[in-house]
């Protein structure tokens, strides 16, 4: 299911965009949920509470924080959410694309342009790296790597802790999941501070000498002798994200 947020301070634009997204989803047979926001700071507060938005349709000229400032803040935080700017001002197009926007659409809204942008965002979402988590009774669940906060060993099994605090009990061992991350070229984003844990460096909130606090409020132990390597890996990761 795609989760799409629309952020625009004009009620008429919100209603029009919501109707267009729902019509697009119906035509494409895509299961879709929408949320509306009338201010950038309100969206940002909701996003920081629960980072579960796949696509953001974003106006630029709004009271308070504008759309460009919001997009820039999300990118500085390392967020890969797909952004589609929908605005009445064409003057920020270059900045929009520098922020890796899927599209920059100038109002008045044209259906074909919006639908084309939504299709690109959908394809972008489907290309996101994911691992397959084997569950009990032979079931399998696809888990996007960007949703993984931490992997925890649980005997012969493991637990995938997601960024929203939920967990998936997985019948694969920790080493098997780590191998999948390597195959998807995502290993550099993770670090193993303890033999029973592997953390996503992008979701580290605080590093202490004995434990790490993750964004989902998990406390992960740091094994003796791992603290210095952890700090080095953390700095390398964020230097890489800044380029």
């Amino acid at each position: 299911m795609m989760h799409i947020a629309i952020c625009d301070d004009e009620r008429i634009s919100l209603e029009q965009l919501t109707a267009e997204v729902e019509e697009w989803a119906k035509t494409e047979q895509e299961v879709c949920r929408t949320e509306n926001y009338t201010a950038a700071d309100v969206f940002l507060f909701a996003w920081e509470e629960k980072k579960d938005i796949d696509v953001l349709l974003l106006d630029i000229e709004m009271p308070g924080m504008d759309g460009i400032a919001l997009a820039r803040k999300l990118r500085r935080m390392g967020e890969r959410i797909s952004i589609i700017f929908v605005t009445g001002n064409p003057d920020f197009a270059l900045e929009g694309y520098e922020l890796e926007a899927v599209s920059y659409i100038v109002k008045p809204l044209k259906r074909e342009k919006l639908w084309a942008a939504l299709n690109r965002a959908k394809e972008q979402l489907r290309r996101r790296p994911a691992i397959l988590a084997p569950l009990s009774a032979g079931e399998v669940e696809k888990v996007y790597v960007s949703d993984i906060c931490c992997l925890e060993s649980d005997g012969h099994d493991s637990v995938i802790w997601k960024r929203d605090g939920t967990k998936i009990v997985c019948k694969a061992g920790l080493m098997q999941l780590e191998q999948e991350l390597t195959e998807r070229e995502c290993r550099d984003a993770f670090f193993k501070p303890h033999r029973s844990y592997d953390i996503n460096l992008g979701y580290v909130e605080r590093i202490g000498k004995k434990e790490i606090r993750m964004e989902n409020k998990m406390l992960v132990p740091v094994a003796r002798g791992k603290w210095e390597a952890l700090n080095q890996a953390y700095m390398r990761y964020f230097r890489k994200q800044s380029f």
Side-chain angles (χ1 to χ4, degrees):
M1 181 176 72
M2 288 181 68
H3 191 179
I4 299 177
I6 305 168
C7 186
D8 196 310
D9 63 314
E10 297 180 358
R11 181 182 57 82
I12 294 175
S13 291
L14 277 176
E15 292 175 353
Q16 182 186 15
L17 285 167
T18 300
E20 286 293 340
V21 168
E22 290 174 351
E23 188 63 28
W24 168 81
K26 181 179 177 181
T27 301
E28 295 293 321
Q29 297 183 321
E30 185 72 37
V31 179
C32 182
R33 179 161 63 95
T34 61
E35 289 183 10
N36 291 347
Y37 298 89
T38 57
D41 56 349
V42 175
F43 169 81
L44 186 60
F45 179 81
W47 171 262
E48 290 175 339
E49 285 291 305
K50 188 175 182 181
K51 302 178 180 182
D52 62 346
I53 303 293
D54 299 309
V55 182
L56 173 61
L57 305 186
L58 182 59
D59 188 20
I60 290 180
E61 295 181 302
M62 295 182 286
M65 182 187 294
D66 64 37
I68 292 291
L70 171 60
R72 189 175 290 119
K73 187 173 182 65
L74 290 170
R75 294 299 186 236
R76 279 201 304 264
M77 293 164 63
E79 306 297 355
R80 308 318 306 162
I81 182 173
S82 296
I83 298 174
I84 300 172
F85 286 107
V86 184
T87 176
N89 192 333
D91 296 339
F92 297 94
L94 180 60
E95 287 183 81
Y97 286 116
E98 286 175 348
L99 291 164
E100 301 178 37
V102 173
S103 189
Y104 190 100
I105 300 171
V106 179
K107 298 173 184 177
L109 183 67
K110 292 181 175 60
R111 169 175 286 189
E112 61 272 18
K113 290 187 176 181
L114 177 62
W115 286 27
L118 289 169
N119 282 324
R120 286 197 295 274
K122 180 175 71 172
E123 288 305 310
Q124 192 177 80
L125 182 63
R126 288 178 176 171
R127 290 196 301 269
R128 285 166 56 189
I131 63 174
L132 295 178
L135 311 179
S136 59
E139 296 181 350
V140 175
E141 181 172 343
K142 180 171 74 172
V143 184
Y144 289 112
V145 173
S146 59
D147 287 336
I148 299 173
C149 186
C150 175
L151 305 174
E152 180 182 3
S153 178
D154 184 18
H156 296 295
D157 301 333
S158 56
V159 178
I160 300 174
W161 291 95
K162 300 179 74 174
R163 62 193 302 185
D164 62 2
T166 61
K167 68 177 183 178
I168 299 172
V169 178
C170 178
K171 303 307 290 183
L174 185 58
M175 288 183 63
Q176 182 178 335
L177 295 180
E178 290 170 339
Q179 180 59 36
E180 287 209 45
L181 291 174
T182 300
E183 291 172 359
R184 284 149 186 79
E185 300 181 353
C186 300
R187 197 70 192 92
D188 289 348
F190 286 78
F191 183 83
K192 199 168 184 176
H194 187 279
R195 65 181 182 179
S196 297
Y197 295 88
D198 207 330
I199 62 170
N200 188 332
L201 293 168
Y203 301 139
V204 170
E205 195 170 80
R206 183 179 183 276
I207 296 177
K209 289 290 183 79
K210 295 184 178 180
E211 65 182 16
I212 306 156
R213 186 173 68 221
M214 306 299 293
E215 283 189 10
N216 67 355
K217 306 310 175 186
M218 277 188 70
L219 297 177
V220 177
V222 178
R224 183 177 298 178
K226 284 280 191 175
W227 183 78
E228 186 174 346
L230 167 62
N231 275 278
Q232 291 173 353
Y234 190 61
M235 294 305 296
R236 281 196 305 271
Y237 172 80
F238 275 95
R239 278 198 294 267
K240 184 177 179 181
Q241 300 307 303
S242 66
F243 287 103

